[in-house]
Each structure stands twice: as structure tokens, then as C-alpha cells.
Amino acid sequence: MTHHPPRRRTLLRALPAVALGAGAAPALGACTRASERLDAESNAVPEVDLSGIEEVPEIAALVPAHIRERGELINGAALNYAPGEFIGSSGEAVGYDMDILAGIGRVLGLATRTEAAVFAQIIPAVGATYDVGISSFTVNAERLEAVTMISYFQAGISYAVRAGNPYGIDPEQLCGKRVALQVGTYQEELSLERSQECREDGQKAYDLLAYASNSDAATNVAGGKADILMADSPVTAYAITRSRGTLEGIGEIEESALNGIVVAKDQPELAEAIRAAVQHLIDSGDMQRILAAWGNESGMIPTAEVNPEP
């Protein structure tokens, strides 16, 4: 069966692991060597040297005085979404968004700090508790009504299979296939809809394997316990990079949409400063270097915009 393009463009962020119930399938203990390697690699955090990024005075001059005087840019992020933003082994905020934030700070001549937050509570707090929200926010019309957003990355839904695709999986023909994903995500919701389409066409529904984390889902695809991984494209790309050849991408990215940095609507000067800093990182090659370190250079965009079209 060939699927019609999904109707929704907004990607839903995964629920924090602590909120997951017993419905999540456990990672299986009898993993192959391939899956063991992937599991070990999934916690690897690349070190990105940002010391070569220097302050750009004409961009730094755009920063509002109260932030300039404070000397620090404060970010709110939900630290449960590797590789964008998550908690490292020492309890620090890590991920490509955190490296991008640090790069922006260096261009603006500011220190940066990220405070952990519940995803749904970040946007209401930007402009008060936080200066910005860099937390894998998809740009959409509803958010643009509430805040200003600066585009910096592009993401969608993508797939991975065991290297060599030994089961001959086609992501457009998944009826009856073992689909691994993280519980509580948009991918789970979408898979349930597509499973119903399979039934209506007289075929078997998806055999959904919903795990507590994307790492568990990817590990079980690499180990042959599932046929295909379905996740946000940054997550899939990161899993492939860390798999040391045990996973490969398959199919096209679906529902591609821009991610944006959130700034309060009454802070146009800060929005322009952030846009200019992001564009500088793009033009200098530092953005590509950061994203490549996290296996996500495919999410590069050429131009940063304030309030781009969703």
C-alpha cells in the first residue's frame, strides 16, 4: 500500500521518559553484537571545538542593552530529545542545539546558559524567564501568532533499517511490518492512523514496537528485533551515525519543516541579533561543522529568517 502524505506538518516532541507508562516495550536483552555496539554508541557525545568562533561587533551591537549588561543569554529547553538537547553524563545540557546556542553566544560576545524546562512551558516563559527558546521547535502558524521564530534547521520524519536491508523493507509498504518507534511521539500517532488504513485495505496492521526511548528502538532494529526505525530525521541521522555501519537510512524525509529559535514578539532587536548570528554561523561553515559532528548536516539551511513561512 502506498501512503498518502501525512496531513499534519507539526512534529510532536516525545514525552519525557519519566512520563512513560508500562505500554512501552522493554529493550530486549538478547541483543546481537551489532545492537550491543549501537547501544554503547548511543550515549556518545561529540566534542565540538567552538573556540575559533569570535565575537562579531556589528552583530553584537544589535543585542538589547539589558542582555548586554547582564552578559549572558538565557535559554529554556526540554532536555529529553537527543541529539538536539539532552542531559550528558555529567548532568550538563548537551546536543547540537546547545552547541548552536554556544556558537550564537560567541558571535554575540555573550555567555550562554540553558535551564531545563517542560517543553510546553517554554514558549509562555520566553521574554520573562528565558531570553530565547532553543529546543527543536517546529515553525508553525500557531506558534508564530504567539512568538517570533528564527529559522536555523530543517527536520521531518525519516527511517532506518538494518544495514543491507536484509528484510527488503520499503517504508511505503509497512503493513504487517515490525515498526520500532518511541512511545508518545507523533510517529506513534501517525503509525496508528496508517495501521488503520492497512486494515481498511484488507492487509495486516503495523506490528508496532513502541519503546521508552529512540535509542532502544534503534538498538532493536540494528539487532534484528524490529524491521524499521521511524523517528524524527535528526534522531534517525544520529542513530545511523552512531551505529558504526549497523544501520542505514531508507526512503525520503516526510513532512519536512523548519525548526526555529523562539524570541518574544516585543524583542525585535534580539530577534535580528539572533538571526544575524545564525547566518554568520552558516556562512562561516561553523553551523555545518556543528551539525556534522552530530550526524545532522542534512538539516542545514542556507538562510536564517525571522518568521519564515511554515
Side-chain angles (χ1 to χ4, degrees), residues 94-118:
V94 297
Y96 62 75
D97 274 346
M98 301 301 96
D99 287 338
I100 291 170
L101 172 67
I104 290 171
R106 293 188 70 88
V107 173
L108 299 179
L110 298 171
T112 58
R113 172 162 55 93
T114 291
E115 296 185 359
V118 175

Side-chain angles (χ1 to χ4, degrees), residues 2-303:
T2 299
H3 296 118
H4 299 292
R7 294 182 296 277
R8 293 174 55 184
R9 293 196 66 205
T10 304
L11 305 182
L12 301 184
R13 287 288 305 275
L15 296 172
V18 293
L20 301 175
L28 301 180
C31 296
T32 64
R33 290 181 180 177
S35 64
E36 288 171 348
R37 286 199 304 272
L38 177 56
D39 191 51
E41 284 291 308
S42 65
N43 294 319
V45 174
E47 293 186 9
V48 184
D49 184 5
L50 304 177
S51 62
I53 302 176
E54 298 182 350
E55 179 179 348
V56 180
E58 58 268 31
I59 299 177
L62 300 172
V63 176
H66 71 283
I67 297 177
R68 169 62 56 194
E69 291 169 4
R70 186 202 307 148
E72 183 179 55
L73 190 68
I74 302 172
N75 174 50
L79 302 177
N80 60 357
Y81 184 71
E85 48 276 328
F86 59 107
I87 298 173
S89 59
S90 301
E92 74 281 19
V94 297
Y96 62 75
D97 274 346
M98 301 301 96
D99 287 338
I100 291 170
L101 172 67
I104 290 171
R106 293 188 70 88
V107 173
L108 299 179
L110 298 171
T112 58
R113 172 162 55 93
T114 291
E115 296 185 359
V118 175
F119 186 70
Q121 296 175 1
I122 296 171
I123 285 180
V126 169
T129 305
Y130 317 119
D131 300 312
V132 297
I134 304 181
S135 192
S136 299
F137 284 103
T138 301
V139 177
N140 62 38
E142 181 181 359
R143 287 175 178 151
L144 290 174
E145 289 180 1
V147 292
T148 297
M149 301 188 79
I150 301 95
S151 57
Y152 70 103
F153 187 71
Q154 192 151 18
I157 298 171
S158 65
Y159 303 88
V161 296
R162 194 173 183 180
N165 195 9
Y167 306 123
I169 300 300
D170 178 352
E172 293 191 357
Q173 304 285 340
L174 294 181
C175 295
K177 304 302 183 184
R178 301 171 298 171
V179 180
L181 44 75
Q182 182 172 357
V183 70
T185 59
Y186 177 41
Q187 286 77 27
E188 184 180 35
E189 177 185 330
L190 189 60
S191 292
L192 291 171
E193 293 178 5
R194 291 178 174 179
S195 287
Q196 182 58 35
E197 292 177 10
C198 291
R199 294 187 189 96
E200 291 171 358
D201 287 350
Q203 300 184 65
K204 290 183 178 180
Y206 287 19
D207 182 3
L208 287 181
L209 304 176
Y211 294 91
S213 70
N214 279 303
S215 175
D216 286 345
T219 294
N220 283 282
V221 173
K225 305 296 191 296
D227 297 321
I228 188 167
L229 171 69
M230 182 183 185
D232 288 350
S233 57
V235 173
T236 303
Y238 186 59
I240 292 169
T241 298
R242 297 289 171 237
S243 75
R244 293 190 176 182
T246 61
L247 291 176
E248 66 179 52
I250 189 171
E252 301 295 326
I253 293 179
E254 301 173 1
E255 298 194 59
S256 184
L258 292 169
N259 283 6
I261 298 168
V262 175
V263 175
K265 274 192 175 295
D266 63 355
Q267 293 286 330
E269 298 90 352
L270 178 59
E272 177 55 25
I274 296 294
R275 185 211 63 78
V278 171
Q279 191 63 53
H280 178 78
L281 294 177
I282 293 170
D283 294 342
S284 67
D286 289 308
M287 181 70 80
Q288 195 277 339
R289 187 165 58 85
I290 290 169
L291 292 175
W294 291 94
N296 268 278
E297 61 268 36
S298 61
M300 276 281 298
I301 60 173
T303 305

